[in-house]
Amino acid sequence: MLVERSRRGVLRHRSEAYGASCEGAALTVWLPHHGETRVLVLAAMHGDEPETTVVVSEALRAIHPESLRNAAVLAGNPDGLLRGTRGNARGVDLNRNFPSANWSPDTVPYKSRKDGPRDIDLSPGERTASEPETKALIALIDRLRPEAVLTLHAALACVDGAGDSPLARRLAELSGLPLEPVTYPTPGSFGSWAGERGIDVVTYELEAASLYDLKERHVPILIDVLTGAVGPEG
């Protein structure tokens, strides 16, 4: 059941803080009123990808509280989101800070333009899970125990699922985005860590487009994920 459009200006779902950022901003998860969470939807781990927050928020605001079946984090990196930076307030790329077997202490280069070089360096942290945002997300996943995590990024325009993920295949089919793996190294990534724990991680990379176009294309799909119409089984 969806909320009538005139009432979609605010979030009405149950929420709670699952931790705090480096600068004390609440790390908030929006939760269903009943039942277990099978899928956690995670936006804005990189603060320079605010479009991920916008599309997940619009999907959440369209869903009646009684119809929400899965959980969502609108900003895994609120300090970076406020700054417009990829890393958190300490300049750490949170998506290279997880305690996976392939974590590396080397700096993490990234590009800020579509066709530009990877020439901007960020830290992966002084050690694994050195950042409060990383620790809090690990604890949240330990508590919720989702079967799958759908993590939104931008703007590679693809769906990446480890192995033969039914959820990844279904999201690629619904969105029209290609199902293809990210080919560059990702030491210490959330996907590496969660994969080692047997969690199905699907990376949903939005395309480079206006917010209006992104919402038109992706919000209906995210509504299906959050209401359980699309799940880990595809």
Side-chain angles (χ1 to χ4, degrees):
M1 181 167 51
L2 299 183
V3 174
E4 59 186 86
R5 291 190 58 82
S6 64
R7 301 182 69 245
R8 294 183 186 180
V10 297
L11 284 158
R12 292 181 167 82
H13 303 288
R14 180 169 67 95
S15 67
E16 62 181 61
Y18 65 91
S21 70
C22 287
E23 295 205 321
L27 297 167
T28 303
V29 60
W30 304 85
L31 296 160
H33 283 253
H34 48 74
E36 295 183 352
T37 290
R38 299 186 65 200
V39 181
L40 172 65
V41 177
L42 172 64
M45 183 178 291
H46 287 143
D48 60 352
E49 297 169 357
E51 59 268 56
T52 64
T53 294
V54 172
V55 295
V56 177
S57 172
E58 181 148 318
L60 268 178
R61 286 182 281 114
I63 298 169
H64 190 280
E66 290 301 315
S67 297
L68 185 66
R69 293 292 178 270
N70 289 309
V73 171
L74 293 178
N77 178 10
D79 295 346
L81 191 63
L82 287 171
R83 285 171 167 75
T85 58
R86 186 176 183 86
N88 70 353
R90 294 200 283 236
V92 173
D93 186 334
L94 298 177
N95 204 28
R96 299 294 182 270
N97 187 236
F98 284 84
S100 61
N102 65 355
W103 182 82
S104 169
D106 297 337
T107 56
V108 182
Y110 78 98
K111 61 182 181 181
S112 63
R113 297 291 186 275
K114 180 180 179 182
D115 298 316
R118 293 186 179 276
D119 61 350
I120 302 175
D121 289 337
L122 289 177
S123 168
E126 294 181 354
R127 59 190 180 281
T128 61
S130 61
E131 305 309 294
E133 298 92 344
T134 307
K135 292 176 183 174
L137 184 58
I138 289 172
L140 177 66
I141 289 172
D142 283 344
R143 178 165 68 86
L144 296 181
R145 298 188 178 278
E147 297 175 39
V149 178
L150 176 61
T151 177
L152 278 78
H153 289 274
L156 296 181
C158 64
V159 177
D160 178 13
D164 186 26
S165 166
L167 178 58
R169 283 190 278 107
R170 181 60 175 149
L171 291 174
E173 176 188 344
L174 290 170
S175 67
L177 295 174
L179 181 61
E180 58 186 37
V182 173
T183 56
Y184 54 84
T186 57
S189 69
F190 173 77
S192 297
W193 170 81
E196 291 171 3
R197 297 170 65 106
I199 301 169
D200 181 16
V201 176
V202 176
T203 302
Y204 194 155
E205 287 270 358
L206 305 179
E207 69 274 22
S210 74
L211 280 175
Y212 290 113
D213 290 339
L214 291 174
K215 289 189 285 187
E216 187 74 24
R217 184 177 190 178
H218 301 289
V219 166
I221 298 168
L222 291 167
I223 288 173
D224 282 348
V225 173
L226 289 166
T227 57
V230 171
E233 67 284 348

